[in-house]
């Protein structure tokens, strides 16, 4: 059964599709960001960087990712370790933990809006507890840091699940004997986690970090749902350039900035968490 | 001596385990509450009257008033947006499995020059903020007349879903021993017959799960949907666009309309989530 | 009539050559066993005959038809796989009927044949079960029944018993032998277990490093190894070898002993003897006993002769202890000689 052309035939649709809808558009973004009527130019980047919202949106995006991703990693590790220890009800609890995986960032934003809006559940609770005596406007532009916290909570709430799923699957691939060996040599639970689980999870950690960091750089709908335009982020800027300012050069330039930090983050994680050759079980 | 001995006296083991057990259970309960309570609160708002939604203070209990939902259902454009969301998601599901599954099968069954390059192409898509593709594609679509159409948006969503479809179906096909297919060949099947009679029945549940996963990706996508649709808004695009102009109860009912189907999807694919990621990782 | 002829078949996987120019003829209705250590190319050769792998060169003929370009379904073969490959989504009945339905046989005949082969393999009680509800041994029976029901010219089996536990393996081995003897098919059976090979085969092909070293009857392979490898691979414990130098006139000096050897051979040969082909008597090889292992009927004695390990299987009545010095006399008609350059056997001209 040696049909040499069959695999290529099977790959052809996907390859063509990715060429037309992935490679080509990205080439176009790149071209568009660097060209104007007179040919090569940096004017789009110039324009983009001098827009007063660019640097706030840049730093907001980076800082959000820098806070959210590590926290998610810690939470996901805790959740995955708990799941690994569970005997009864493992499946139900796993299902509960994975629910947010199926939710959009927009839905997450709206959900946390129900909590943080002025007449929302947080205000109600604080009044009920007597901490404040009237509803608080949490998400006003005067309280940028509250919007920030709300976005972080919503992102933690929504996107920790994917990290956990990746880590749980990764833990499932670690042979039990390693733990038993570590235990025989006197390692307690914490030592076993540090010396066995973490190093063996390296490939899963890498996947999870890359996936999550890139997604964090794309944060958009949560921010819009919770903060409107008060808290600018990079994807929101791209959207603004395209639709409000009707300038696709500026949009392309901003998109390239997102792409650049995404690739930079990917390379960092690939290097930082690379598995030495032959060190796989 | 005596001191050392008193230190050496072990605490009753049951004490430690009981305390640890309590902490553990408390942690599990807390984490479940962390996931479930926000969804519950959204549903409370959805099942309250518009007045209650904007009212203060909130009780945290639903009044089971369908006012918000009725308002949402009758709001101009909601029905069309829901229909568009479903249509785009179904198209995405068909396209991404139709295109992704053959590739997943080829990766799991053949060794051939160029395999590594293709895998690289698929993995590379992960390093790119894919929704931004919508910008140049919008221009492309205007030229070919696909702008503001469900199929156009479905094509972009398929780009988002294909890497997952390829990797997930790859892992599903890899779970079916080649030996089974070979046995079918020795028993009189050609390749297509063996696939149809042996592989397909075995992978169908898994393929269904990855189809649902593709559906969910499209159902939830916001940015590309907002960029690529104007008249034919999907539910996410519609909600995003009306966020700062629509009343709170419309937003919450809309949020619930996004969340509830997603809960069902995740429930349907729960068994496969881990297997999918376990291998899609590598 | 289904004679199998393999002509000059070779197979490379990239730079690695798994098979080197294999020539092999298997007679109609013969039971041929491919025997060799793991990784020597047995499976590859079997899969080339089945059509699951294509040869890099050479031809395969089955029943007078050249088949190396044909897909498996057109070769008139059935195969029993190492992991059984019982379809998990079908009942035992449907598994056995699978190939018959592909042949579009009438329903009555399908039922008839399935029931007959199921009875032959003693699984008629299991016909409505799924493979998940079967034990390893039962799955094995289903796999064999499925192959037999096809009434093929040729049955190919790749280590079919290697996943069973020892006792079951013994039982299935005897059963397979009986069933296949009655079926009039040509059989190729792959195994790395020499006892299995000995007990089943009409002929054994011993493979090593992608080559067939010897193809002969079990007794021949055991008594007259065609190469040093065969002697050292077959038999437990294996043959003993000692370097020998010519004294001229067909006499050879072996560890201080003078023995008759091949007349027309080079100055250096290798003397070989099986451990059970020696007696303790004066005037033999001087052996220093190192380890003594009583095995019931016999005692396995590991000694040192001429500075090398040398094993003897002796009567357990003899009282031997480590440190003893023995004199071992080889039975003259059981002595074999090998050329150390080519490692092939050198016959004693008679
Ligand atoms: N598809 C393949 N690709 C590369 N090498 C292979 C492949 N199949 C088998 N080999 C190599 O060919 C040699 C013979 O394999 P095989 O025929 O399976 O041996 P056996 O069945 O005797 O244990 C082995 O060294 C194996 O690693
Ligand atoms: Mg083998």
């Amino acid at each position: 059964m040696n049909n040499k052309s069959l695999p290529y035939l099977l790959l052809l649709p996907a390859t063509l599709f990715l060429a037309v809808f992935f490679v080509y558009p990205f080439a176009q973004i790149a071209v568009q960001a660097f060209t104007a009527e007179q040919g090569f130019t940096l004017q789009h980047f110039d324009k983009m960087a001098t827009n007063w919202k660019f640097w706030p949106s840049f730093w907001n995006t980076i800082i959000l990712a820098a806070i959210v991703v590590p926290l998610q990693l810690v939470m996901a590790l805790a959740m995955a370790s708990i799941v690994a220890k569970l005997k009864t009800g493992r499946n139900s609890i796993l299902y509960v933990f994975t629910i947010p995986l199926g939710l959009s960032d927009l839905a997450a934003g709206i959900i946390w809006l129900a909590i943080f809006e002025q007449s929302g559940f947080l205000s109600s609770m604080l009044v009920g507890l007597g901490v404040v005596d009237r509803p608080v406007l949490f998400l006003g532009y005067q309280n940028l840091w509250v919007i920030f916290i709300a976005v972080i909570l919503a992102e933690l709430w929504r996107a920790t699940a994917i990290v956990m799923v990746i880590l749980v699957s990764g833990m499932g691939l670690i042979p039990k004997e390693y733990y038993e060996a570590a235990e025989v040599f006197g390692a307690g639970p914490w030592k076993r986690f540090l010396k066995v689980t973490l190093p063996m999870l390296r490939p899963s950690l890498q996947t999870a970090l890359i996936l999550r960091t890139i997604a964090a750089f794309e944060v958009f709908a949560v921010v819009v749902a919770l903060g409107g335009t008060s808290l600018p982020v990079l994807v929101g800027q791209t959207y603004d350039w395209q639709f409000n300012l009707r300038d696709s050069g500026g949009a392309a330039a901003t998109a390239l900035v997102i792409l650049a930090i995404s690739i930079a983050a990917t390379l960092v994680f690939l290097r930082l968490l690379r598995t030495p050759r032959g060190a796989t079980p | 001596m005596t001191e050392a001995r008193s230190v050496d006296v072990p605490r009753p083991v049951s004490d430690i385990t009981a305390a640890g057990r309590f902490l553990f259970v408390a942690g599990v309960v807390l984490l479940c509450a962390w996931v479930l309570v926000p969804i519950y609160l959204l549903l409370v708002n959805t099942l309250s009257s518009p007045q209650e939604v904007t009212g203060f203070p909130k009780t945290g209990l639903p009044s089971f008033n369908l006012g918000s939902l009725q308002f949402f259902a009758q709001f101009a454009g909601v029905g069309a947006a829901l229909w568009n969301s479903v249509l785009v998601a179904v198209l995405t599901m068909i396209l991404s499995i139709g295109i992704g599954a053959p590739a997943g099968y080829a990766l799991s069954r053949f060794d051939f020059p160029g395999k590594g390059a293709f895998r690289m192409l698929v993995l590379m898509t992960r390093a790119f903020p894919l929704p931004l593709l919508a910008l140049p594609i919008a221009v492309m679509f205007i030229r070919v007349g696909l702008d503001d159409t469900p199929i156009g948006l479905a094509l972009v969503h398929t780009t988002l879903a294909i890497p997952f479809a390829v990797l997930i179906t790859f892992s599903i096909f890899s779970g079916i021993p080649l030996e089974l297919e070979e046995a079918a060949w020795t028993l009189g099947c050609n390749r297509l017959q063996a696939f149809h009679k042996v592989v397909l029945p075995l992978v169908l549940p898994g393929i269904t799960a990855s189809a649902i996963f593709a559906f969910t990706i499209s159902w939830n996508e916001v940015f590309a949907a907002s960029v690529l649709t104007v008249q034919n808004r999907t539910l996410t695009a519609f909600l995003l666009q009306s966020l700062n102009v629509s009343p709170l109860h419309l937003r919450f009912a809309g949020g619930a309309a996004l969340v509830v189907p997603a809960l069902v999807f995740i429930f349907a694919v729960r068994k496969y989530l881990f297997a999918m990621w376990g291998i899609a990782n590598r | 009539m289904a004679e199998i002829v393999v002509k000059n078949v070779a197979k490379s996987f990239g730079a690695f050559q798994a098979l080197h120019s294999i020539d092999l003829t298997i007679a109609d209705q013969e039971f041929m066993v491919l025997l060799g250590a793991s990784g020597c190319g047995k499976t590859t050769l079997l899969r080339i005959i089945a059509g699951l792998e294509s040869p890099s060169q050479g031809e395969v003929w089955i029943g007078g038809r050249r088949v190396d370009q044909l897909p498996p379904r057109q070769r008139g073969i059935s195969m029993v796989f190492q992991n059984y490959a019982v379809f998990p989504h079908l009942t035992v009945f449907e598994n056995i009927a699978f190939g018959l339905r592909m042949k579009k046989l009438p329903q009555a005949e399908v039922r008839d044949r399935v029931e007959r082969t199921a009875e032959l393999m003693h699984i008629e009680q299991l016909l409505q079960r799924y493979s998940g509800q079967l034990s390893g041994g039962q799955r094995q029976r289903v796999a064999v029944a499925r192959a037999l029901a096809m009434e093929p010219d040729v049955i190919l089996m790749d280590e079919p018993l290697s996943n069973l536990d020892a006792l079951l393996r013994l039982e299935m081995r005897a059963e397979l032998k009986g069933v296949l003897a009655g079926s009039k098919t040509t059989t190729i059976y792959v195994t790395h277990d020499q006892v299995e090979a000995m007990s089943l085969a009409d002929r054994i092909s011993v493979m090593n490093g992608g080559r067939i070293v010897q193809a002969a009857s079990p007794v021949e392979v055991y008594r007259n190894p065609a190469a040093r490898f065969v002697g050292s691979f077959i038999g437990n414990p294996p043959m003993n070898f000692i370097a020998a130098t010519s004294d001229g006139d067909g006499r050879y000096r072996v560890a201080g002993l003078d023995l008759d050897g091949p007349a027309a051979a080079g100055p250096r040969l290798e003397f070989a003897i099986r451990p059970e082909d020696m007696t303790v008597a004066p005037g033999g090889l001087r052996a220093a006993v190192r380890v003594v292992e009583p095995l019931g009927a016999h005692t396995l004695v590991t000694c040192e002769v001429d500075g090398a390990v040398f094993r003897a299987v002796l009567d357990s009545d003899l009282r031997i202890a480590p440190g003893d010095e023995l004199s071992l006399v080889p039975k003259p008609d059981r002595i074999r000689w090998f050329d150390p350059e080519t490692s092939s056997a050198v016959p004693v001209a008679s």
Side-chain angles (χ1 to χ4, degrees):
Chain A
M1 277 273 166
N2 188 27
N3 194 337
K4 286 227 158 55
S5 56
L6 184 58
Y8 296 105
L9 219 62
L10 293 171
L11 288 188
L12 190 65
T15 312
L16 279 181
F17 195 93
L18 288 178
V20 174
F21 292 102
F22 170 64
V23 179
Y24 176 67
F26 265 109
Q28 270 201 319
I29 290 190
V31 169
Q32 201 170 26
F34 287 106
T35 50
E37 275 118 51
Q38 68 277 20
F40 177 82
T41 176
L42 290 175
Q43 74 179 58
H44 299 304
F45 287 93
D46 210 35
K47 193 170 59 188
M48 169 194 81
T50 48
N51 182 301
W52 67 275
K53 269 170 134 186
F54 174 75
W55 287 108
S57 69
F58 181 82
W59 288 116
N60 285 339
T61 306
I62 300 271
I63 293 170
L64 267 177
I67 295 176
V68 168
V69 175
L71 283 178
Q72 278 179 330
L73 197 62
V74 172
M75 266 184 83
L77 275 171
M79 289 163 110
S81 307
I82 283 180
V83 167
K85 280 220 176 57
L86 276 175
K87 287 178 196 81
T88 50
R90 181 173 189 271
N91 287 340
S92 321
I93 286 170
L94 256 185
Y95 170 62
V96 170
F97 283 1
T98 49
I99 282 175
L101 186 66
L103 303 187
S104 70
D105 43 353
L106 182 59
I110 292 175
I111 284 174
W112 284 83
L113 182 66
I115 295 170
F116 275 97
E117 47 113 358
Q118 191 172 9
S119 59
F121 293 99
L122 185 59
S123 270
S124 302
M125 202 176 79
L126 290 180
V127 170
L129 291 174
V131 180
V132 293
D133 47 11
R134 58 200 166 76
V136 191
L137 176 63
F138 288 111
L139 300 175
Y141 64 93
Q142 309 90 330
N143 294 333
L144 262 193
W145 62 274
V146 184
I147 299 182
F148 217 85
I149 289 175
V151 169
I152 287 171
L153 284 173
E155 281 286 277
L156 275 182
W157 179 81
R158 177 183 73 88
T160 303
I162 184 68
V163 184
M164 184 209 64
V165 166
I166 295 173
L167 295 186
V168 167
S169 326
M171 282 184 184
L173 297 177
I174 304 177
K176 252 209 169 80
E177 294 91 72
Y178 292 114
Y179 291 104
E180 289 162 358
E183 197 168 359
V184 167
F185 288 117
W190 179 242
K191 267 265 153 43
R192 288 203 292 274
F193 177 77
L194 284 185
K195 302 279 178 191
V196 181
T197 312
L198 275 188
M200 302 279 297
L201 265 186
R202 208 191 274 261
S204 304
L205 288 173
Q206 194 184 53
T207 309
L209 280 172
I210 291 175
L211 214 66
R212 263 312 297 154
T213 307
I214 291 169
F217 290 155
E218 291 170 35
V219 68
F220 173 54
V222 176
V223 180
V224 179
L226 287 170
T229 51
S230 315
L231 188 71
V233 288
L234 282 175
V235 174
Q237 279 295 97
T238 316
Y239 193 84
D240 267 356
W241 278 111
Q242 184 83 6
F243 290 100
N244 301 334
L245 304 173
R246 307 241 159 234
D247 180 342
S248 48
T254 318
L256 275 198
V257 171
I258 301 172
L259 178 60
I261 56 176
S262 299
I263 292 179
T266 305
L267 292 179
V268 167
F269 288 129
L270 282 180
R271 172 114 196 118
L272 219 57
L273 291 170
R274 71 180 184 284
T275 313
R277 236 169 226 294
T280 44
Chain B
M1 273 310 278
T2 41
E3 251 182 43
R5 189 174 296 160
S6 72
V7 170
D8 262 0
V9 171
R11 278 187 293 163
V13 175
S14 58
D15 273 11
I16 311 171
T17 50
R21 185 95 206 125
F22 175 77
L23 269 179
F24 182 75
V25 172
V28 171
V29 170
L30 217 64
L31 281 168
C32 286
W34 155 252
V35 172
L36 292 177
V37 169
I39 296 181
Y40 168 76
L41 294 178
L42 176 75
L43 296 181
V44 167
N45 268 353
T46 309
L47 294 173
S48 301
S49 68
Q51 294 74 23
E52 287 167 317
V53 170
T54 40
F56 189 87
K58 299 234 171 5
T59 56
L61 294 172
S63 65
F64 295 104
N65 181 309
L66 298 182
S68 292
L69 278 175
Q70 259 164 15
F71 179 84
F72 171 72
Q74 285 157 10
F75 195 83
V78 165
L82 257 173
W83 166 244
N84 282 327
S85 269
V86 172
L87 184 62
V88 171
V90 167
L91 286 171
T92 303
M93 182 170 96
I94 296 171
L95 280 172
S96 57
I97 294 303
I99 294 173
Y105 181 79
L107 288 183
S108 83
R109 285 294 189 256
F110 299 94
D111 264 319
F112 51 92
K115 184 172 174 174
F118 181 82
R119 274 189 74 114
M120 200 58 219
L121 176 68
V122 171
L123 292 177
M124 226 169 62
T125 58
R126 280 188 181 174
F128 284 67
L130 288 175
L132 298 178
L133 287 170
L135 300 176
I137 287 178
V139 181
M140 190 161 108
F141 279 175
I142 290 173
R143 257 185 280 147
V144 296
L146 277 175
D147 55 310
D148 201 13
T149 58
I151 180 73
L153 180 56
L155 286 171
V156 175
H157 284 176
T158 303
T159 316
L160 300 182
I162 270 193
F164 289 93
V166 170
L167 293 174
I168 293 168
T169 53
F170 164 70
S171 81
I172 291 169
F173 285 124
S174 300
I176 308 296
L178 179 59
E179 227 179 41
L180 288 182
E181 252 179 291
E182 291 178 340
W185 300 342
T186 64
L187 291 168
C189 291
N190 61 29
R191 214 174 236 288
L192 197 64
Q193 287 168 323
F195 183 85
H196 174 74
K197 285 182 187 294
V198 174
V199 181
L200 199 57
L202 293 171
V203 297
L204 212 50
I207 298 284
T208 310
S210 46
I212 293 174
F213 200 69
F215 187 100
T216 314
I217 287 178
S218 166
W219 178 260
N220 285 334
E221 202 283 327
V222 183
F223 186 83
S226 310
V227 170
L228 287 173
T229 58
V230 183
Q231 300 299 318
N232 292 310
R233 291 254 184 235
T234 63
L235 187 57
T236 51
F238 171 84
L239 284 174
L240 184 81
Q241 187 199 30
S242 47
L243 267 181
N244 42 12
V245 294
S246 61
L248 278 174
H249 51 272
L250 180 79
R251 296 187 226 174
F252 293 137
L258 279 178
V259 166
V260 173
L263 292 183
V264 178
F265 301 150
I266 284 298
F267 188 73
V269 301
R270 69 194 182 286
K271 254 181 29 197
Y272 289 91
L273 281 175
F274 297 93
M276 283 180 333
W277 278 102
I279 303 172
N281 251 344
R282 309 289 106 172
Chain C
M1 277 303 288
E3 184 193 49
I4 302 170
V5 182
V6 176
K7 281 187 199 162
N8 191 27
V9 160
K11 175 74 183 175
S12 333
F13 296 106
F16 176 74
Q17 184 137 21
L19 291 178
H20 303 262
S21 179
I22 301 279
D23 283 295
L24 185 65
T25 302
I26 298 149
D28 182 40
Q29 300 188 27
E30 187 174 26
F31 197 125
M32 170 64 90
V33 171
L34 301 182
L35 174 65
S38 176
C40 70
K42 309 178 295 288
T43 297
T44 305
L45 179 55
L46 193 76
R47 287 170 59 85
I48 286 174
I49 295 169
L52 297 170
E53 201 87 67
S54 54
S56 308
Q57 71 170 52
E59 299 172 9
V60 179
W61 295 69
I62 296 178
R65 215 160 43 108
R66 183 165 173 189
V67 297
D68 46 83
Q69 298 302 322
L70 299 179
R73 64 180 187 282
Q74 291 168 10
R75 295 189 177 200
I77 54 130
S78 309
M79 187 152 168
V80 177
F81 291 82
Q82 187 167 5
N83 299 306
Y84 320 135
V86 174
F87 302 131
H89 61 300
L90 300 177
T91 59
V92 169
F93 184 99
E94 285 305 322
N95 261 283
I96 301 175
F98 189 93
L100 308 176
R101 295 206 194 285
M102 289 309 300
K103 281 187 181 171
K104 302 216 158 44
L105 295 187
Q107 179 63 27
E109 184 172 357
V110 170
R111 167 143 349 114
D112 186 52
R113 276 219 224 169
V114 170
E115 276 164 7
R116 238 182 322 127
T117 37
E119 204 172 320
L120 192 67
M121 294 308 299
H122 306 294
I123 48 172
E124 62 270 37
Q125 314 299 332
L126 308 175
L127 285 176
Q128 295 317 315
R129 297 232 196 137
Y130 287 91
S131 108
Q133 305 163 304
L134 301 177
S135 68
Q138 289 169 331
R139 263 177 242 177
Q140 175 61 62
R141 286 166 188 276
V142 175
V144 174
R146 184 174 67 183
L148 286 175
M150 296 288 284
E151 296 177 5
D153 301 328
V154 174
I155 287 193
L156 308 172
M157 304 199 201
D158 191 357
E159 313 229 10
L161 304 183
S162 64
N163 286 340
L164 301 181
D165 60 54
L167 211 61
L168 206 53
R169 191 151 54 202
L170 211 66
E171 183 188 315
M172 273 304 286
R173 194 171 81 195
E175 209 168 311
L176 267 185
K177 188 166 182 167
V179 167
L180 287 168
S183 76
K184 297 199 189 325
T185 54
T186 312
T187 306
I188 305 183
Y189 184 106
V190 164
T191 182
H192 64 265
D193 180 337
Q194 48 170 302
V195 180
E196 214 169 283
M198 291 280 174
S199 84
L200 288 171
D202 293 330
R203 267 196 311 151
I204 297 177
S205 293
V206 183
M207 293 186 66
N208 182 32
R211 291 190 169 82
I212 291 182
V213 189
Q214 184 173 16
S217 72
V219 172
E220 179 73 7
V221 164
Y222 187 80
R223 281 284 168 244
N224 297 310
R228 189 187 196 280
F229 169 79
V230 179
S232 64
F233 182 72
I234 290 179
N236 187 17
M239 248 179 172
N240 295 301
F241 298 92
I242 303 175
T245 47
S246 172
D247 280 352
D249 293 341
R251 288 190 68 76
Y252 286 83
R253 177 155 291 275
V254 178
L257 205 67
D258 248 351
L259 292 171
D260 274 329
R268 290 181 184 285
L269 281 184
E270 238 178 342
F271 159 91
I273 186 82
R274 289 217 173 264
E276 66 271 26
D277 292 338
M278 284 171 290
T279 48
V280 179
L285 296 160
R286 299 171 64 79
V289 176
R290 293 282 177 258
V291 183
V292 178
E293 298 167 74
L295 301 174
H298 304 284
T299 299
L300 171 58
V301 184
T302 305
C303 342
E304 204 179 297
V305 172
D306 213 17
V309 175
F310 192 92
R311 295 187 189 84
V313 173
L314 301 171
D315 196 298
S316 47
D317 287 345
L318 292 167
R319 295 172 155 265
I320 303 168
D324 287 357
E325 185 95 354
L326 291 181
S327 168
L328 297 169
V329 177
K331 296 178 186 164
D333 58 327
R334 293 287 165 85
I335 296 173
R336 299 292 176 265
W337 302 91
F338 294 92
D339 183 334
E341 310 268 294
T342 63
S343 40
S344 49
V346 179
V348 182
S350 48

